[in-house]
Amino acid sequence: MVVSGGVDPAEARTAREYVALLRELKEHSGLTYRQLEQRAAQRDEVLARSTLADVLRRDALPRAEVVAALVRACGAERDVPAWLAARERLAAGDEGTEREPELPGTSPEAAGAGRGRTALTATVASLGTVALLVVGAVVLLPQDEGKPTGGTTHGEASTTPSVTPGPAVGFSRVRPAHAPGLCLTDGTVRADGSGESKLVAVQRPCAEAVPPRVHLHRETDGMYQIRFHHPKFDSPGCLTVLDDGAFKGTLEPWDDCRAGGESQWFRAERADGGDRWRLHSAQDDGLCVGIRGRAEESGAAAVVQRCTERDGDDQVFLIERD
């Protein structure tokens, strides 16, 4: 059976082939990650751009709900059962799938949740005291020294060699290298030519920059979120690149750290040693975070802009643990 766009999930014999067919379906749809996210949201489904991009560049089977949301967003709603059936077949390990076998008597989703617990139990049973000592040693290792915290869930050790060390996660001070007496914080700016104002990320003297406190959150692929923690609010504000309107390019703190997809994620690139970093937008690696206006202007907004030459302090930030 050939489904939409001539892509037939039944042809997949491994998880790698299955994901390749999903990429083919996405390409055939002609939709961007942002458009797919928006179409899913219209159905009250979550299909974050960053999550989708990560899923389609890996060789592991995506979660069933992600597959269903993607296929529907691509306009192939009638083909969802075929895609899920192919996924279930591969998850069961029937045809050479590269995925770990599912637990007997459980659904693929339940098995995914229980696989880690089963592996840990087997390890402890077979290795006994040695396994316990190893676990204890891992717990005592520093978890927040700027090294990848990768794996498939937060806090596990990274097994992805392509992820390079970045700034340390946790509460931090982020200072423009061209004005080290200023710190990244929030502030109200006005749009040119109108009276409209918005609370966005700005630079201000460090003594006046707290609250909020800046917190760096790192994902398994080495991408970062920049979160503002303020005592007046229950949840942090995740800096989100605004892509249209009078404040296009500025970074607005959003309460929902999943709603913005790739617009809430940044790649840290070491500038020239030490704690000096460039922050690339996950939406476009050719865009970097910089400061709009004069270098030492208090209240100047942080913005994403085309990355400049690498031999100066423009778009370079000093990032240190706070």
Side-chain angles (χ1 to χ4, degrees), residues 3-189:
V3 295
S4 296
V7 183
D8 184 1
E11 296 178 353
R13 292 296 177 263
T14 65
R16 182 192 298 270
E17 293 178 2
Y18 185 84
V19 175
L21 290 175
L22 283 175
R23 287 195 295 267
E24 187 177 340
L25 179 68
K26 185 262 183 188
E27 292 302 317
H28 178 79
S29 74
L31 299 171
T32 65
Y33 287 119
R34 183 168 184 264
Q35 290 169 328
L36 290 169
E37 181 182 46
Q38 292 173 337
R39 293 185 68 163
Q42 293 172 357
R43 298 175 175 269
D44 294 324
E45 294 180 317
V46 176
L47 190 64
R49 281 171 280 179
S50 57
T51 299
L52 182 56
D54 186 57
V55 162
L56 294 183
R57 68 170 174 257
R58 296 178 182 272
D59 296 328
L61 284 175
R63 299 193 309 275
E65 61 267 26
V66 173
V67 172
L70 172 58
V71 174
R72 279 192 284 264
C74 287
E77 183 172 6
R78 65 185 178 85
D79 300 325
V80 170
W83 283 96
L84 293 182
R87 182 200 174 280
E88 185 175 357
R89 168 175 55 79
L90 293 172
D94 289 341
E95 308 224 17
T97 176
E98 298 172 3
R99 182 188 173 109
E100 295 178 6
E102 304 292 349
L103 298 180
T106 64
S107 67
E109 292 71 33
R115 191 161 46 245
R117 291 192 298 271
T118 301
L120 178 60
T121 301
T123 301
V124 173
S126 60
L127 299 181
T129 304
V130 174
L132 292 176
L133 290 174
V134 171
V135 172
V138 172
V139 171
L140 292 175
L141 287 175
Q143 296 296 312
D144 206 15
E145 293 300 324
K147 298 179 180 179
T149 56
T152 55
T153 58
H154 297 238
E156 295 177 355
S158 174
T159 57
T160 307
S162 61
V163 177
T164 57
V169 298
F171 287 107
S172 308
R173 285 202 314 169
V174 180
R175 299 179 293 145
H178 54 214
L182 303 177
C183 285
L184 193 67
T185 184
D186 62 12
T188 301
V189 299

Side-chain angles (χ1 to χ4, degrees), residues 205-229:
C206 293
E208 305 171 9
V210 179
R213 297 182 68 192
V214 176
H215 186 279
L216 296 185
H217 170 78
R218 178 171 169 136
E219 265 295 343
T220 58
D221 58 0
M223 303 296 282
Y224 286 82
Q225 282 185 333
I226 306 172
R227 300 178 175 183
F228 284 177
H229 286 252

Side-chain angles (χ1 to χ4, degrees), residues 269-283:
E269 174 195 28
R270 190 179 294 278
D272 50 9
D275 295 319
R276 296 164 57 88
W277 303 90
R278 288 183 179 86
L279 300 171
H280 294 257
S281 171
Q283 294 177 298

Side-chain angles (χ1 to χ4, degrees), residues 23 81 101 190-191 199 204 215 232 236 238 248 295 315:
R23 287 195 295 267
R190 292 188 179 277
L199 184 74
R204 284 192 288 158
H215 186 279
K232 290 185 178 180
C238 287
K248 181 177 180 178
Q315 302 175 341

